[in-house]
Amino acid sequence: MKKIMNNILAACLLSSLIACTLDDPYMPVNPEEKPAPPVVTEYQPVALTIGANGRFDVSGSSVKIGLNGKNSTYGVCLPQIAQGHFIAEVTADKTTNFGLAIVREKNGKPDFNNYTSVSVCTESGVSTVRVLDRQDGIDNVLDNTKKINKNDYSFRYSIPLNNSYFSVPFTASTGKARIIRNKISGFFHFYVSVGKEIDGKFHENWIELAQSKDWGGQGQNYFICPIVRNGNENSTEVNFSDIRFEEFSAEDVVESSPEFDVKQRNFTWAGFPGDATVISFNPKHCPAAAQNRQFVFWSEANFVPAWHMNNELLYCYEFAETWSDLSKGCFEPMSDRLLAHAKVDIIENNKVRKVVKYHYALVNPDYKAPYPDGIYPEVDEYYTFYADGVGVRHIEYIQKQAGQAYYRYHELSEPMVISGSSSIPSDHVKQPAFSISNLSGNRYDLYPAKPFDEVNQNVKNWKEQIYTAHLNNAPDAFSVFSYTPERPEVSPLPIENDLTWHDINYQMSHWPVDKQPYLNARYGDYDKSTATWPSQVSHSSLIGVEAKGDVSWNTAYQINSDGNKYRVYLMLLGINQPDAASDIDAYTRGWLYMGSPTNLNGVSYNPDVTGYSKREMVLMKTTGTGSCQFTCNPTGAVKNPVFRIDNWTGSGNVTVKVGGKTLVSDSDYLSDKVGGSLVIWLNKTISSTFSVEIIPV
């Protein structure tokens, strides 16, 4: 996260984008018309408790603040004034008695009667994170929306760092505080950094307290203030070595002419900044990707990948997940809030395709493992995308349990709608919101729901399960699983569905973005949380996709070089123009049912060398550097098939003919040399049998 701040704040990103919200309908304004803040040139002391006796010293970019007296708060306002959509952060040389305040500006001066803050102070011997404020002269109003019961302030606006809260297994801060003013939602967000040693390495990230609605109004200016807060201490001195704030854009910058590319960069969604690996698509090859639609592995979603549809909508297929009788909670990557196990690497970046690896571990929010020996499963996922926005998710579920079994079934996917800072999940779905279909013409439409038992009993016997989300003002997002015994490399176990609790009307707010404790854990419902305000980022899960067969791991597994059992599952995924199920069927058919090629000339075909994991038909060049030909025999229409020719000695520049017709490079097809293979992606829907000729240039 430090890297995020460095990148965001050093870059001096664009001025804020302002949107209407459900909670606070700020009227959009032209940034050019935003009134300039008053010019302030001096550091100004501010006593946030009456009679607070303090001092400060400025040296370069550092500020040293001293405070005398118990139960008091004192700080210093930076001369720069913040407005719009902004982030502020301080780094202290202590892990307690420090904090950050946002003080309203009035006539170029700090307004003592209006501030909000987050700080860490020792209370009753326990390091405690707390939000304190003063609204129009009234202390600790905090939630002026009155959505939070005041009896709950003690755990919504304070967190003891004593490892007593589920999902907050920490005993100290690491000396950083952060406040984001989100102009989309009209709320302040409060954070303090924490850390923990995991597997011998120290990791740190942010925890969050309850939000507070900004009562200052749209055009309000603010001072950024590092603060020192005492409890029972007589005196404290804190040196703030790094104090930063910056206005930035509330949404990701739209590329005017996006290309098919993958890069690691700063990424902002719904007003929240982070690091991301982003796959972008050219609408010329992927019409559904117009309007800056991208596939994003974002730090604020624990790097769980999702389709970025717009600044209010992400669509996610979720991840592998399991459960345990030993510890509460779900064992999944969204529980890894420190990002201790999550890692994203770009594996391939060539003209034809992009391959990204996402690694994670299945831990619960307290960083406990599901098994008695403390071993947790790990998962490697490889996402292979082509220019049409369709790819394959290759899942390697690594059990990491060599001896006696404590096994549970595992979920492979849980499609979900994620809403941003001015909407709720149900805003983003049509009726029906979701469908399950196959290539035999069977289909169930959900939401309105069908009998769940009926759906599962029938669907689990289908050879293909095509899951499609029907979204408002966005393309359809789909995924496909398949199980047949003759094709175990696609899925080693049958796929079942869970529809027992899913619904489009949930507002589950524990992920992504939100870093508060799992609020309902104190009442026993530790798997779910409910948003307090409509403006909170939240998600709604549509269905569970599970592998339940042979939980004892006696069959259908492989052994890796470390001696651990693992299973491989494949999932086709992509976006497509709305209500074009025939296209999704054609993608599915091209993935699973291309058949064996015939009329081979210059190439050979081995049916044991399959290309399901990268959506490709695999052949091998047999003769020199000349051209080659073959005929494809799919079971029906296929869309945008992919071919890999191994043992290719020429370059990646080739001429391609289909059915005797010469195709136009970069329009009708893309080609590139990948290792020792030629990879070709066709941009065509082809009905049944067709011939392919590849001619080196």
Side-chain angles (χ1 to χ4, degrees):
M1 297 301 290
K2 186 175 181 179
K3 178 182 176 184
I4 297 170
M5 287 299 303
N6 285 335
N7 291 339
I8 292 170
L9 301 174
C12 298
L13 297 178
L14 302 176
S15 57
S16 72
L17 301 179
I18 303 168
C20 299
T21 82
L22 296 174
D23 297 306
D24 190 11
Y26 288 150
M27 295 298 294
V29 298
N30 186 333
E32 297 180 357
E33 298 175 354
K34 186 170 60 177
V39 177
V40 179
T41 59
E42 299 179 341
Y43 289 83
Q44 302 178 70
V46 57
L48 298 183
T49 52
I50 296 175
N53 179 21
R55 63 197 182 279
F56 70 91
D57 178 67
V58 179
S59 178
S61 59
S62 299
V63 177
K64 185 182 294 183
I65 301 175
L67 173 62
N68 297 321
K70 299 178 179 180
N71 301 311
S72 57
T73 305
Y74 176 90
V76 56
C77 297
L78 304 185
Q80 301 94 333
I81 289 179
Q83 61 179 198
H85 188 92
F86 65 78
I87 187 170
E89 182 179 323
V90 297
T91 300
D93 65 350
K94 288 183 169 58
T95 60
T96 190
N97 300 105
F98 76 95
L100 172 66
I102 305 293
V103 180
R104 285 178 58 177
E105 175 269 334
K106 185 177 181 179
N107 299 322
K109 300 289 185 180
D111 180 1
F112 178 78
N113 287 315
N114 288 279
Y115 78 90
T116 192
S117 69
V118 61
S119 58
V120 183
C121 187
T122 302
E123 302 178 10
S124 302
V126 177
S127 184
T128 302
V129 185
R130 187 175 295 278
V131 174
L132 299 169
D133 72 3
R134 184 175 295 129
Q135 299 185 25
D136 296 325
I138 302 173
D139 283 337
N140 299 323
V141 176
L142 300 176
D143 176 30
N144 52 38
T145 70
K146 299 181 179 179
K147 293 288 184 69
I148 299 178
N149 188 308
K150 285 200 173 185
N151 293 329
D152 293 337
Y153 279 16
S154 60
F155 75 94
R156 295 298 305 276
Y157 287 108
S158 67
I159 303 175
L161 299 180
N162 59 0
N163 200 15
S164 65
Y165 271 46
F166 179 69
S167 76
V168 191
F170 310 107
T171 57
S173 141
T174 59
K176 298 177 183 176
R178 170 189 283 185
I179 298 177
I180 293 177
R181 187 199 192 204
N182 190 324
K183 282 290 292 182
I184 301 175
S185 65
F187 277 74
F188 291 111
H189 296 258
F190 307 94
Y191 309 86
V192 165
S193 65
V194 292
K196 187 179 181 71
E197 185 174 297
I198 300 171
D199 293 344
K201 186 177 180 180
F202 188 80
H203 300 271
E204 70 174 314
N205 211 327
W206 303 98
I207 58 171
E208 184 178 0
L209 294 94
Q211 304 156 32
S212 181
K213 190 177 183 303
D214 177 8
W215 69 100
Q218 176 184 281
Q220 181 63 54
N221 300 320
Y222 292 90
F223 287 97
I224 309 299
C225 306
I227 59 174
V228 175
R229 182 166 73 90
N230 276 350
N232 291 321
E233 299 86 355
N234 290 314
S235 65
T236 303
E237 187 173 84
V238 180
N239 186 57
F240 295 88
S241 59
D242 200 1
I243 309 169
R244 324 176 192 180
F245 82 90
E246 189 63 59
E247 297 178 45
F248 66 101
S249 175
E251 63 182 276
D252 201 52
V253 177
V254 177
E255 296 185 42
S256 58
S257 300
E259 293 298 322
F260 181 40
D261 197 8
V262 58
K263 61 181 66 173
Q264 294 176 323
R265 62 176 179 86
N266 297 327
F267 182 83
T268 299
W269 180 75
F272 299 94
D275 290 332
T277 298
V278 180
I279 303 176
S280 58
F281 302 90
N282 189 330
K284 172 177 69 175
H285 296 136
C286 181
Q291 303 178 41
N292 206 38
R293 294 180 181 120
Q294 306 163 100
F295 196 73
V296 179
F297 303 76
W298 185 39
S299 61
E300 303 312 285
N302 301 53
F303 296 116
V304 175
W307 285 107
H308 169 256
M309 301 297 191
N310 53 57
N311 204 42
E312 284 296 317
L313 173 61
L314 301 176
Y315 182 80
C316 174
Y317 303 101
E318 235 211 31
F319 35 68
E321 178 180 358
T322 194
W323 296 265
S324 172
D325 296 328
L326 300 177
S327 300
K328 61 185 178 181
C330 302
F331 294 77
E332 57 189 350
M334 72 166 54
S335 300
D336 181 13
R337 293 183 166 187
L338 294 179
L339 306 182
H341 304 284
K343 186 181 180 183
V344 180
D345 294 296
I346 298 172
I347 304 302
E348 276 189 38
N349 183 12
N350 52 68
K351 190 176 179 180
V352 179
R353 67 188 181 206
K354 318 298 175 184
V355 181
V356 175
K357 178 183 178 182
Y358 172 41
H359 174 86
Y360 56 91
L362 303 188
V363 297
N364 82 342
D366 285 338
Y367 282 92
K368 295 178 180 176
Y371 303 129
D373 55 6
I375 296 175
Y376 43 80
E378 295 188 42
V379 181
D380 288 329
E381 296 194 7
Y382 297 85
Y383 287 82
T384 300
F385 271 102
Y386 296 89
D388 52 11
V390 177
V392 177
R393 174 188 173 211
H394 172 117
I395 309 162
E396 294 186 6
Y397 187 102
I398 308 166
Q399 185 65 15
K400 291 189 70 175
Q401 183 79 347
Q404 76 280 2
Y406 177 85
Y407 297 114
R408 294 288 295 266
Y409 70 91
H410 42 275
E411 189 175 69
L412 300 174
S413 179
E414 191 177 294
M416 57 176 56
V417 174
I418 304 169
S419 62
S421 297
S422 66
S423 61
I424 59 178
S426 59
D427 292 338
H428 299 288
V429 296
K430 300 176 179 177
Q431 254 192 7
F434 197 74
S435 60
I436 315 172
S437 60
N438 64 10
L439 295 180
S440 299
N442 303 113
R443 172 167 167 157
Y444 283 102
D445 287 331
L446 304 180
Y447 311 110
K450 293 287 192 296
F452 292 163
D453 289 342
E454 176 191 340
V455 172
N456 188 46
Q457 289 303 313
N458 286 294
V459 170
K460 72 178 183 180
N461 295 314
W462 292 355
K463 288 188 175 182
E464 318 87 24
Q465 296 95 6
I466 303 171
Y467 304 93
T468 306
H470 310 287
L471 306 170
N472 284 322
N473 303 311
D476 285 350
F478 67 91
S479 56
V480 183
F481 283 91
S482 175
Y483 170 76
T484 55
E486 67 268 19
R487 200 169 48 244
E489 62 267 58
V490 176
S491 176
L493 295 175
I495 301 300
E496 298 188 35
N497 294 303
D498 181 14
L499 288 155
T500 56
W501 61 267
H502 307 74
D503 197 279
I504 62 172
N505 294 309
Y506 278 126
Q507 265 191 276
M508 291 183 282
S509 59
H510 58 276
W511 177 92
V513 174
D514 192 291
K515 306 178 192 302
Q516 297 182 63
Y518 280 50
L519 300 181
N520 290 342
R522 66 200 305 269
Y523 304 117
D525 184 9
Y526 50 79
D527 287 327
K528 304 177 187 69
S529 61
T530 302
T532 304
W533 302 277
S535 63
Q536 283 182 265
V537 172
S538 58
H539 68 272
S540 188
S541 297
L542 304 178
I543 194 170
V545 182
E546 302 170 339
K548 287 189 171 181
D550 192 15
V551 296
S552 63
W553 284 72
N554 290 321
T555 63
Y557 65 85
Q558 302 177 55
I559 302 288
N560 65 16
S561 59
D562 295 324
N564 294 315
K565 294 180 178 180
Y566 73 100
R567 284 172 173 156
V568 175
Y569 303 89
L570 301 180
M571 182 187 91
L572 189 72
L573 72 157
I575 53 175
N576 197 62
Q577 297 288 49
D579 304 315
S582 61
D583 284 348
I584 299 174
D585 288 354
Y587 280 123
T588 303
R589 198 175 291 111
W591 179 45
L592 297 173
Y593 305 116
M594 283 291 288
S596 298
T598 57
N599 302 322
L600 305 176
N601 185 358
V603 290
S604 63
Y605 175 73
N606 183 351
D608 294 329
V609 182
T610 60
Y612 298 116
S613 66
K614 290 188 174 179
R615 190 189 146 202
E616 56 193 7
M617 174 181 280
V618 183
L619 302 102
M620 178 172 286
K621 192 75 166 64
T622 57
T623 57
T625 59
S627 62
C628 58
Q629 302 88 32
F630 53 92
T631 298
C632 295
N633 304 283
T635 60
V638 297
K639 188 173 179 65
N640 301 356
V642 180
F643 303 97
R644 189 185 92 208
I645 314 297
D646 292 341
N647 197 33
W648 187 264
T649 57
S651 71
N653 297 319
V654 295
T655 297
V656 179
K657 294 182 178 181
V658 174
K661 180 181 178 181
T662 301
L663 304 184
V664 179
S665 178
D666 195 51
S667 177
D668 297 329
Y669 71 96
L670 297 174
S671 64
D672 206 350
K673 184 80 171 289
V674 182
S677 302
L678 174 71
V679 182
I680 298 172
W681 168 81
L682 299 186
N683 189 23
K684 292 182 70 68
T685 300
I686 309 170
S687 298
S688 197
T689 300
F690 61 97
S691 63
V692 179
E693 183 178 3
I694 303 169
I695 306 166
V697 175

